[in-house]
Amino acid sequence: MIKAGIVGGTGYTGVELLRLLVAHKDVELSVITSRSEAGQAVSSLYPNLRGHVDINFSEPDIDSLAKCDVVFFATPNGTAMKMVPQLLEAGAKVIDLAADFRIKDTATWKQWYGMDHACPDILEEAVYGMPELNREAIKQARIIANPGCYPTAVSLGYIPLIENNLIDDAHLIADAKSGVSGAGRGASVATLLCEATESVKAYGVDGHRHLPEIRQVLGGVAGHDVGLTFVPHLMPMIRGIEATLYGVLKTDVDDLHQIYAERYKDEPFVDVLPLGSVPETRSVKGSNMCRISVFRPQGGDTVVVSSVIDNLVKGAAGQAVHNMNLMFGLDEKTGISQVALLP
Amino acid sequence: MIKAGIVGGTGYTGVELLRLLVAHKDVELSVITSRSEAGQAVSSLYPNLRGHVDINFSEPDIDSLAKCDVVFFATPNGTAMKMVPQLLEAGAKVIDLAADFRIKDTATWKQWYGMDHACPDILEEAVYGMPELNREAIKQARIIANPGCYPTAVSLGYIPLIENNLIDDAHLIADAKSGVSGAGRGASVATLLCEATESVKAYGVDGHRHLPEIRQVLGGVAGHDVGLTFVPHLMPMIRGIEATLYGVLKTDVDDLHQIYAERYKDEPFVDVLPLGSVPETRSVKGSNMCRISVFRPQGGDTVVVSSVIDNLVKGAAGQAVHNMNLMFGLDEKTGISQVALLP
Amino acid sequence: MIKAGIVGGTGYTGVELLRLLVAHKDVELSVITSRSEAGQAVSSLYPNLRGHVDINFSEPDIDSLAKCDVVFFATPNGTAMKMVPQLLEAGAKVIDLAADFRIKDTATWKQWYGMDHACPDILEEAVYGMPELNREAIKQARIIANPGCYPTAVSLGYIPLIENNLIDDAHLIADAKSGVSGAGRGASVATLLCEATESVKAYGVDGHRHLPEIRQVLGGVAGHDVGLTFVPHLMPMIRGIEATLYGVLKTDVDDLHQIYAERYKDEPFVDVLPLGSVPETRSVKGSNMCRISVFRPQGGDTVVVSSVIDNLVKGAAGQAVHNMNLMFGLDEKTGISQVALLP
Amino acid sequence: MIKAGIVGGTGYTGVELLRLLVAHKDVELSVITSRSEAGQAVSSLYPNLRGHVDINFSEPDIDSLAKCDVVFFATPNGTAMKMVPQLLEAGAKVIDLAADFRIKDTATWKQWYGMDHACPDILEEAVYGMPELNREAIKQARIIANPGCYPTAVSLGYIPLIENNLIDDAHLIADAKSGVSGAGRGASVATLLCEATESVKAYGVDGHRHLPEIRQVLGGVAGHDVGLTFVPHLMPMIRGIEATLYGVLKTDVDDLHQIYAERYKDEPFVDVLPLGSVPETRSVKGSNMCRISVFRPQGGDTVVVSSVIDNLVKGAAGQAVHNMNLMFGLDEKTGISQVALLP
């Protein structure tokens, strides 16, 4: 059994990790830390876990975490980078679900996250945990930067186009829509039910922290910088991201659908829908699947891709477990092949 | 492996059965019938099942169903009773998720469902599939009447009070609230999003079909007829039932909470919450759990019970699988111990 | 023109008052105070008011408020009672939408609200602003206690039964359901969209502050203390209260519907639905109407009443404007006869 | 008083027209027709109108409609064009809220709507009822084609850019999001609450009927054909459209915000938000306002515009009343200056 610890287990990413790990046949949950809830039973905060988890939140403590085989960070940005060096030193593997190890360029990191990076050498070592791009590196990694939710949906949607150099990558447009759980469980007026339900709005138009991350991923695939306009929108629902991606073809293409189907045919968690189908976010609610469709409206030169994920699963906790499975040599689908909850 | 068939697999109860059965380690899905969708791939109707179910809907056909070890009916009322005699004859076991075998008195059946019963002898044999009341009989049964959703939530909430003869059972009041999925997947104006969201209403005040069913269950527990006012309400959400139950104590009681805790201490799917906690329907979303709290406001003579279930799981498909597990001698929790999806 | 001031204009009750008052032909908005938002444009906080309100929030200031003809308090409990004496002294009339002047008994007030009352003599003078009960007194009043949202829905539903002494008033049961806006606009985890949508729960079962208020109203109507069990529930929606009320008949009654129709036939804001209809909260969304139905299921001895209001209108700001209209001798429907927004 | 008739008053556009017209001081409602509901009281179908509308639905009848000063069509596409010639002949003015008179080119009409046009000469005469473009023509018109909901939101957002020839109009991208009420009140599985809530999806990617309409409007403004990719999305809410519009600047611009502010400074129903603000659909719920923001992320060459309307008001019934006001020489804001319902 893999002994797992979770740092910061009280947010939505934390409880989702718990939901997946308690049902994972090869994992034993050892430690869940929370500064604010230390001493409380996990199930008193999350009644859905009553009967499944019987441990208490504890104070974050390097010694008990260092005894774990793997430590997940579901903490605010800037927390993991202070604790990771000691944990790696002690032999634990680390999967960070925050942004601390996602941006390779420390100047860009500081620009968007407003702090110096605490351990640039480990940042360099960290593997960006998107199995569809980096499977082999993940298997060897000690430290994983688990991708952001928007970057997961957007990148998986663009990769086949960019790998095949099919579109003008100087003017990519990603119009993304996310459920409110992406904003976390902190008390705030903006995410009250009365403020966020029955309404839709764009946000972060001038610049969202996932923009440099997506640019880094797509730039890596392209082999050069790409130009991207990324506009996230808040949806009146709990879970789910839909990203509609636009690009102008540089070259004629016979069969876009075939290119997508081929690219992802061996991927257990990317599902290219039949021609003409459009994915709904509810088709992946609670599941680790990404479903994708590609269109060329009226046969013109503009490609439209729709990509959906559950932001808390494929966009966070599920992808983290996928990475853990790869790091520990397990069947990569273990514990994350739940059917989406529909309706 | 248990070979399972589903008749009427296109409604919400059907897709929920599929979600549970595809993940059940001892079940192999053999047949799913649907008159309207015959020939279609199941996953084309329910994209959440892509990659999990690769069979097609077929025409309802006694011969192929008769080869199953167990047949689930997720059909409109009145369908199962016409097919069950042949299936039992052929040696299959049957679990009916509709109402055909729930009401023991054929006159009452006809009064509420508007049709004569097609097989009164089998009706007599049928076991009401509420494991918390009838576990041993279920283990021996060939034919199970799977309880209605409201009757499950209401009965489990009242049973400890009535078994112990604590309240005036001539004036029980059950105020129940259900998500819209209880109304099924048929096209209708009343359950359109624009009609049902952001609104609450009572319905069926003059008489709902679950009223005689609840009276039968509670009357059986009491050993005499009970008086019940049952008012269901439509909630602006997909899943979940909350039933608030009222009764006037006939006798003084020291510790109501203890009575509930004791009654259900060995039940895997009834969770009595700690004193003072109130259950939320989301704490059971997608799970087979019923969570219950009991109160005595201001120490008066009125008892208030709140009982929550997921109407599609504990109130339908999950309870059906629970019954199947009992009928086939499996660990009764097999395949139905999912953690609720929260948030 | 009536010069109106609002103290505490940043909550949902405040913005709803603004929505109604800017469209009221006899009212001129003079002052809106908010300690936290002083100096900000009202329309920067509430973009729906852009083009309708062009004044700024100001610091609460007795002098400028004292120049108003009427001052509305949309403040937390305990604020109004400290300022009202001076305002009355200065000749302003006051309508308090908080609870400060609702509970006549100061001991009961202290028990439920946890503070001593600051001006018991004015409390005695205050008129409970339910026009259907106290229309003439309201016309003469200087200070109005605007009723709570639940007390409005529950009282209007019970009044015809209790005035006519038809039911056993020692065991009344009110099962009420409210949208989340009743909890206000403060940042809190419990009312986040991700916590409150797609779920239903009871709350305050052991005792809610509206319980003594309802008991006071119904006790006043009955002429003696009544016994009431009141269980509020949180609904996954913004606006609306549905109260389902239960009572056991003491005497036989020919035509309950006629009793209701007669009682409210001259009331502009109580609508008794045709026999057999059930009210939906959406039928009053944004309107000042209360819609009511009465049932006697299966002709038994139990009466069931369903009463719906918009908690922010009839349950708060609309009823306040209704009171203002009466106090200033206007047509009482002025400015509050909007059609509900449906769908 | 203007005598108004409504043909097809049972859909969401019809009930919204009723909500606005019953409160319009210069309008008297004469006739509401509905083939399916003839003889029924309007208020029995729409309980929010109880006390406001006391007429019954009648069979569609040219004679009684011809006595109206203005007739609104809230019918399925293809109905109005068969009745309009007789009504104009009789001297009534007509406002068609369906698509019958929107597309000037009859071949394009047939391609997208699948039928021949019944009265091409009247089609030629019809004025596209977007006051911000065609105010003077509307004042003189006998027959108005009331714009579609998406075309309203998208066109108002693009007009300042295209009028000033600022962007490459060969590759416009409009990513639009609409509440479910846009799909109407017909019974259908796809718009059931259980299918449409808690989910987001694109639809009509290969071609939506509003595409040729938007192209016609923007092409008219540009003076030449424009290239547009238009992808609508279904939102889990009742009302509201948000359109995020993308374009690449052809020329450098000093102050985009100023261009928008200037363009719409005299428009009563277009509100350009302060720099940096993003519009929410709830800020226009129930109101006739369109709110717009314009951005140039990171100072690059891509412009992003967000435009929100209530699809049933500015996108349908409100714009229709606006057109009526103009046609009859009234103050154009009469009856449509309601404050949006927030929260």
Side-chain angles (χ1 to χ4, degrees):
Chain A
M1 296 294 274
I2 300 166
K3 292 171 76 167
I6 299 177
V7 184
T10 64
Y12 291 142
T13 301
V15 65
E16 193 69 356
L17 261 178
L18 286 168
R19 181 177 74 90
L20 297 175
L21 292 179
V22 299
H24 193 294
K25 69 182 183 59
D26 299 315
V27 171
E28 175 192 343
L29 208 56
S30 298
V31 189
I32 310 174
T33 78
S34 160
R35 213 172 286 280
S36 61
E37 306 289 336
Q40 292 289 316
V42 170
S43 62
S44 72
L45 195 66
Y46 287 113
N48 61 324
L49 292 168
R50 282 176 59 86
H52 298 280
V53 175
D54 57 4
I55 64 178
N56 291 3
F57 290 109
S58 60
E59 287 284 348
D61 165 52
I62 287 284
D63 290 344
S64 54
L65 291 167
K67 291 176 191 144
C68 295
D69 299 306
V70 62
V71 176
F72 296 89
F73 281 85
T75 44
N77 298 318
T79 301
M81 66 186 184
K82 293 181 191 135
M83 298 171 72
V84 163
Q86 287 173 274
L87 293 175
L88 293 183
E89 181 78 18
K93 297 183 181 189
V94 172
I95 299 173
D96 178 28
L97 288 84
D100 297 20
F101 297 94
R102 292 182 191 156
I103 305 290
K104 287 297 184 189
D105 183 72
T106 53
T108 305
W109 159 265
K110 185 170 183 180
Q111 175 192 344
W112 288 90
Y113 290 90
M115 46 186 141
D116 285 309
H117 203 284
C119 50
D121 50 331
I122 291 175
L123 173 61
E124 201 165 338
E125 173 189 349
V127 174
Y128 190 72
M130 185 171 283
E132 294 81 5
L133 275 184
N134 298 328
R135 185 172 272 103
E136 294 311 313
I138 293 166
K139 289 179 181 173
Q140 311 303 326
R142 292 194 307 166
I143 160 81
I144 292 287
N146 210 58
C149 50
Y150 286 124
T152 299
V154 173
S155 300
L156 291 174
Y158 267 131
I159 284 170
L161 293 173
I162 293 182
E163 280 181 347
N164 292 286
N165 196 22
L166 299 177
I167 54 173
D168 170 11
D169 58 22
H171 285 99
L172 304 175
I173 288 174
D175 188 293
K177 299 93 179 167
S178 173
V180 181
S181 61
R185 192 170 166 272
S188 88
V189 171
T191 53
L192 294 177
L193 181 139
C194 293
E195 302 287 310
T197 199
E198 290 292 310
S199 194
V200 163
K201 66 171 176 188
Y203 69 100
V205 185
D206 277 327
H208 184 284
R209 286 170 169 182
H210 286 174
L211 175 65
E213 184 179 342
I214 303 171
R215 279 192 181 145
Q216 175 179 287
V217 176
L218 298 183
V221 172
H224 56 256
D225 283 357
V226 301
L228 171 71
T229 299
F230 167 60
V231 181
H233 297 73
L234 194 66
M235 299 288 102
M237 62 184 191
I238 300 174
R239 286 169 182 249
I241 286 180
E242 192 273 346
T244 306
L245 313 174
Y246 302 88
V248 177
L249 286 170
K250 291 193 299 193
T251 163
D252 202 24
V253 185
D254 263 3
D255 190 343
L256 278 172
H257 182 266
Q258 176 58 23
I259 289 169
Y260 274 73
E262 185 64 25
R263 173 60 176 86
Y264 291 126
K265 70 177 193 302
D266 296 326
E267 286 298 338
F269 296 113
V270 181
D271 175 29
V272 179
L273 294 189
L275 206 62
S277 289
V278 183
E280 308 173 74
T281 62
R282 67 184 189 131
S283 78
V284 297
K285 187 165 57 181
S287 106
N288 196 49
M289 198 65 71
C290 172
R291 300 196 202 273
I292 296 180
S293 291
V294 58
F295 293 88
R296 193 171 159 184
Q298 288 94 50
D301 65 355
T302 301
V303 181
V304 179
V305 178
S306 175
S307 163
V308 305
I309 61 169
D310 183 323
N311 55 306
L312 296 179
V313 190
K314 181 68 173 168
Q319 192 159 218
V321 174
H322 192 179
N323 282 316
M324 180 196 73
N325 290 344
L326 291 168
M327 294 164 89
F328 286 85
L330 307 177
D331 176 332
E332 60 183 295
K333 292 162 71 173
T334 312
I336 43 176
S337 57
Q338 293 86 351
V339 178
L341 196 69
L342 179 160
Chain B
M1 295 294 273
I2 299 166
K3 292 171 74 167
I6 299 176
V7 184
T10 63
Y12 290 142
T13 302
V15 65
E16 193 68 358
L17 262 176
L18 287 168
R19 182 177 72 92
L20 298 175
L21 293 179
V22 299
H24 193 295
K25 71 181 181 57
D26 299 315
V27 172
E28 175 193 344
L29 208 56
S30 299
V31 189
I32 309 174
T33 78
S34 161
R35 212 173 288 278
S36 61
E37 305 289 336
Q40 292 289 316
V42 169
S43 62
S44 72
L45 195 66
Y46 287 114
N48 61 323
L49 293 168
R50 283 175 59 86
H52 298 280
V53 176
D54 56 5
I55 64 179
N56 290 4
F57 290 109
S58 60
E59 287 284 348
D61 165 51
I62 286 285
D63 290 344
S64 56
L65 291 167
K67 291 177 191 141
C68 295
D69 299 306
V70 62
V71 176
F72 296 89
F73 281 86
T75 44
N77 299 318
T79 302
M81 66 186 183
K82 292 180 192 137
M83 298 171 70
V84 164
Q86 287 172 272
L87 293 174
L88 294 183
E89 181 77 18
K93 297 184 181 188
V94 172
I95 299 173
D96 178 29
L97 287 84
D100 296 20
F101 297 93
R102 291 182 192 156
I103 304 290
K104 287 297 183 186
D105 183 72
T106 53
T108 304
W109 161 264
K110 186 170 181 180
Q111 176 192 342
W112 288 89
Y113 290 90
M115 46 186 139
D116 286 309
H117 204 283
C119 51
D121 50 330
I122 291 174
L123 174 61
E124 202 166 336
E125 175 190 347
V127 174
Y128 190 73
M130 186 171 282
E132 294 80 4
L133 275 184
N134 298 329
R135 183 171 274 104
E136 294 312 313
I138 293 164
K139 290 179 181 172
Q140 311 304 324
R142 294 194 305 166
I143 160 80
I144 292 288
N146 209 58
C149 52
Y150 286 125
T152 299
V154 173
S155 300
L156 291 174
Y158 267 132
I159 283 170
L161 293 173
I162 293 182
E163 279 182 348
N164 291 287
N165 196 21
L166 298 177
I167 54 172
D168 171 12
D169 58 24
H171 286 98
L172 304 174
I173 288 173
D175 188 294
K177 298 96 181 165
S178 174
V180 180
S181 61
R185 192 169 165 275
S188 89
V189 172
T191 52
L192 294 176
L193 181 140
C194 293
E195 302 287 309
T197 199
E198 289 293 308
S199 193
V200 163
K201 67 172 175 185
Y203 69 100
V205 186
D206 277 327
H208 183 284
R209 285 169 169 182
H210 286 175
L211 175 65
E213 184 180 340
I214 303 171
R215 279 193 181 143
Q216 175 179 288
V217 176
L218 298 183
V221 172
H224 56 256
D225 283 358
V226 301
L228 171 70
T229 299
F230 167 60
V231 181
H233 297 73
L234 194 66
M235 299 289 101
M237 62 184 190
I238 301 174
R239 288 169 181 249
I241 286 179
E242 193 272 347
T244 306
L245 313 173
Y246 302 87
V248 176
L249 286 170
K250 291 193 301 193
T251 164
D252 203 23
V253 186
D254 265 3
D255 189 342
L256 277 171
H257 181 265
Q258 176 58 24
I259 289 168
Y260 274 74
E262 185 63 27
R263 174 59 177 86
Y264 291 124
K265 70 178 191 305
D266 295 327
E267 287 298 340
F269 296 114
V270 182
D271 175 29
V272 178
L273 294 189
L275 207 61
S277 290
V278 182
E280 307 173 75
T281 61
R282 68 184 188 132
S283 77
V284 297
K285 187 165 58 182
S287 107
N288 196 49
M289 199 64 72
C290 172
R291 300 195 202 273
I292 296 180
S293 290
V294 59
F295 293 88
R296 193 171 160 182
Q298 288 95 47
D301 65 355
T302 301
V303 180
V304 179
V305 178
S306 175
S307 165
V308 305
I309 61 169
D310 183 322
N311 55 305
L312 296 179
V313 190
K314 181 67 173 170
Q319 192 159 218
V321 174
H322 192 181
N323 282 316
M324 181 196 73
N325 289 344
L326 291 168
M327 294 164 89
F328 286 85
L330 307 176
D331 177 331
E332 59 183 296
K333 294 162 69 174
T334 311
I336 43 175
S337 56
Q338 291 86 350
V339 178
L341 196 68
L342 181 159
Chain C
M1 296 295 272
I2 299 166
K3 293 171 74 166
I6 299 177
V7 184
T10 62
Y12 291 142
T13 302
V15 65
E16 192 68 358
L17 261 176
L18 287 168
R19 181 177 73 91
L20 297 175
L21 293 178
V22 298
H24 193 294
K25 69 181 183 58
D26 299 315
V27 171
E28 175 192 344
L29 208 55
S30 299
V31 189
I32 309 174
T33 78
S34 161
R35 212 173 288 280
S36 61
E37 305 289 336
Q40 292 289 315
V42 170
S43 61
S44 72
L45 195 65
Y46 287 114
N48 60 324
L49 293 168
R50 283 177 57 87
H52 298 279
V53 176
D54 57 4
I55 64 179
N56 291 3
F57 290 109
S58 60
E59 287 284 348
D61 164 51
I62 286 285
D63 291 343
S64 55
L65 290 167
K67 291 176 192 144
C68 295
D69 299 306
V70 61
V71 176
F72 295 89
F73 281 86
T75 42
N77 299 318
T79 301
M81 67 186 183
K82 293 182 192 135
M83 297 171 71
V84 164
Q86 288 172 272
L87 293 174
L88 293 183
E89 182 75 21
K93 298 185 181 189
V94 172
I95 299 173
D96 178 28
L97 287 85
D100 296 20
F101 297 94
R102 291 182 192 158
I103 304 290
K104 287 297 183 187
D105 183 72
T106 52
T108 305
W109 160 264
K110 185 169 182 180
Q111 176 193 343
W112 288 89
Y113 290 88
M115 47 186 138
D116 285 310
H117 204 284
C119 51
D121 50 331
I122 291 173
L123 174 62
E124 202 166 336
E125 174 190 346
V127 174
Y128 191 72
M130 186 172 282
E132 294 80 4
L133 275 184
N134 298 330
R135 183 171 272 103
E136 293 312 312
I138 292 166
K139 290 179 181 172
Q140 311 304 325
R142 295 194 304 166
I143 160 82
I144 293 288
N146 209 60
C149 51
Y150 286 125
T152 298
V154 173
S155 299
L156 291 173
Y158 267 132
I159 283 170
L161 293 173
I162 293 182
E163 279 182 349
N164 291 286
N165 196 22
L166 298 177
I167 54 172
D168 170 12
D169 58 24
H171 286 98
L172 304 174
I173 289 173
D175 188 292
K177 298 95 181 165
S178 174
V180 180
S181 61
R185 193 170 166 273
S188 88
V189 171
T191 52
L192 293 177
L193 181 138
C194 293
E195 302 287 309
T197 199
E198 288 293 309
S199 192
V200 163
K201 67 172 176 185
Y203 68 100
V205 185
D206 276 327
H208 183 284
R209 285 169 169 181
H210 285 175
L211 175 65
E213 183 179 340
I214 302 171
R215 278 193 180 142
Q216 177 179 285
V217 176
L218 298 183
V221 172
H224 56 255
D225 284 356
V226 301
L228 171 71
T229 299
F230 167 61
V231 181
H233 297 73
L234 194 66
M235 299 288 103
M237 62 184 191
I238 301 174
R239 287 168 181 249
I241 286 179
E242 193 272 348
T244 305
L245 313 173
Y246 302 87
V248 176
L249 286 170
K250 291 193 301 193
T251 164
D252 202 23
V253 185
D254 264 5
D255 190 343
L256 277 171
H257 181 265
Q258 175 58 23
I259 289 169
Y260 274 74
E262 186 64 26
R263 173 60 177 84
Y264 291 125
K265 70 177 191 303
D266 296 327
E267 286 299 339
F269 296 114
V270 182
D271 175 29
V272 179
L273 295 189
L275 207 60
S277 290
V278 182
E280 306 174 75
T281 61
R282 68 184 187 131
S283 77
V284 298
K285 188 166 56 182
S287 107
N288 196 48
M289 199 64 71
C290 172
R291 301 197 202 272
I292 296 180
S293 290
V294 58
F295 293 88
R296 193 170 159 184
Q298 288 94 48
D301 65 356
T302 301
V303 181
V304 179
V305 178
S306 176
S307 164
V308 304
I309 62 170
D310 183 323
N311 55 304
L312 295 180
V313 191
K314 181 67 173 170
Q319 191 159 219
V321 174
H322 192 180
N323 282 316
M324 181 196 73
N325 289 344
L326 291 168
M327 294 165 89
F328 286 85
L330 307 176
D331 177 332
E332 60 183 296
K333 294 162 70 174
T334 312
I336 44 175
S337 56
Q338 292 87 349
V339 179
L341 196 68
L342 180 159
Chain D
M1 297 293 274
I2 300 166
K3 293 171 76 165
I6 299 175
V7 184
T10 62
Y12 291 142
T13 301
V15 66
E16 193 68 357
L17 261 177
L18 287 168
R19 182 176 74 91
L20 297 176
L21 293 178
V22 299
H24 193 295
K25 70 180 184 57
D26 298 315
V27 171
E28 176 192 343
L29 207 55
S30 297
V31 189
I32 310 175
T33 77
S34 161
R35 214 173 287 279
S36 61
E37 304 290 335
Q40 292 289 315
V42 170
S43 62
S44 72
L45 195 65
Y46 286 114
N48 61 324
L49 293 167
R50 283 177 59 86
H52 297 280
V53 175
D54 57 4
I55 65 178
N56 290 4
F57 290 109
S58 60
E59 287 284 348
D61 165 51
I62 286 284
D63 291 343
S64 54
L65 290 168
K67 293 177 190 143
C68 295
D69 299 306
V70 62
V71 176
F72 296 90
F73 281 85
T75 44
N77 298 318
T79 302
M81 66 185 183
K82 293 182 191 135
M83 299 171 70
V84 164
Q86 288 172 272
L87 292 175
L88 293 183
E89 180 77 19
K93 298 184 181 188
V94 172
I95 299 172
D96 178 28
L97 288 84
D100 297 20
F101 298 93
R102 290 181 192 157
I103 303 291
K104 287 297 184 189
D105 183 72
T106 53
T108 305
W109 160 264
K110 187 169 181 180
Q111 174 192 346
W112 288 90
Y113 290 91
M115 45 186 139
D116 285 309
H117 204 283
C119 50
D121 50 331
I122 292 175
L123 174 61
E124 201 167 336
E125 173 189 348
V127 174
Y128 191 72
M130 186 172 281
E132 294 79 4
L133 275 184
N134 298 328
R135 184 171 272 102
E136 294 312 313
I138 293 166
K139 289 180 182 172
Q140 311 304 325
R142 293 193 306 164
I143 160 82
I144 292 287
N146 209 59
C149 50
Y150 285 124
T152 299
V154 173
S155 300
L156 291 174
Y158 267 132
I159 284 170
L161 293 174
I162 293 182
E163 280 182 348
N164 292 286
N165 195 21
L166 299 177
I167 54 173
D168 170 10
D169 57 24
H171 286 99
L172 304 175
I173 289 174
D175 188 292
K177 298 95 180 165
S178 172
V180 180
S181 61
R185 191 169 166 274
S188 87
V189 171
T191 53
L192 293 177
L193 181 139
C194 293
E195 302 287 310
T197 199
E198 289 293 310
S199 193
V200 163
K201 66 171 176 186
Y203 68 100
V205 185
D206 277 327
H208 184 284
R209 285 170 169 181
H210 285 175
L211 174 65
E213 183 180 341
I214 302 171
R215 279 192 181 145
Q216 176 179 286
V217 176
L218 298 184
V221 172
H224 55 257
D225 283 357
V226 301
L228 171 70
T229 299
F230 167 60
V231 181
H233 297 74
L234 194 66
M235 299 288 103
M237 62 183 192
I238 300 174
R239 287 170 181 249
I241 286 179
E242 193 272 347
T244 305
L245 313 174
Y246 301 87
V248 177
L249 286 170
K250 293 194 298 193
T251 163
D252 202 24
V253 185
D254 263 3
D255 190 344
L256 277 172
H257 182 264
Q258 176 58 24
I259 289 169
Y260 274 73
E262 186 63 28
R263 173 59 177 85
Y264 291 126
K265 70 178 191 305
D266 295 326
E267 285 299 339
F269 296 114
V270 181
D271 176 29
V272 178
L273 295 190
L275 207 61
S277 289
V278 182
E280 308 173 76
T281 62
R282 67 184 189 132
S283 77
V284 297
K285 187 166 58 182
S287 107
N288 196 49
M289 199 65 73
C290 172
R291 300 196 202 273
I292 295 180
S293 291
V294 58
F295 293 87
R296 192 171 160 183
Q298 287 96 49
D301 65 355
T302 301
V303 181
V304 179
V305 179
S306 175
S307 163
V308 304
I309 62 169
D310 183 323
N311 55 306
L312 296 179
V313 190
K314 181 66 172 170
Q319 192 159 220
V321 173
H322 192 181
N323 282 316
M324 181 196 73
N325 289 344
L326 291 167
M327 293 164 90
F328 287 85
L330 307 177
D331 177 332
E332 59 183 296
K333 293 162 69 173
T334 312
I336 42 176
S337 56
Q338 291 86 351
V339 178
L341 194 70
L342 179 160

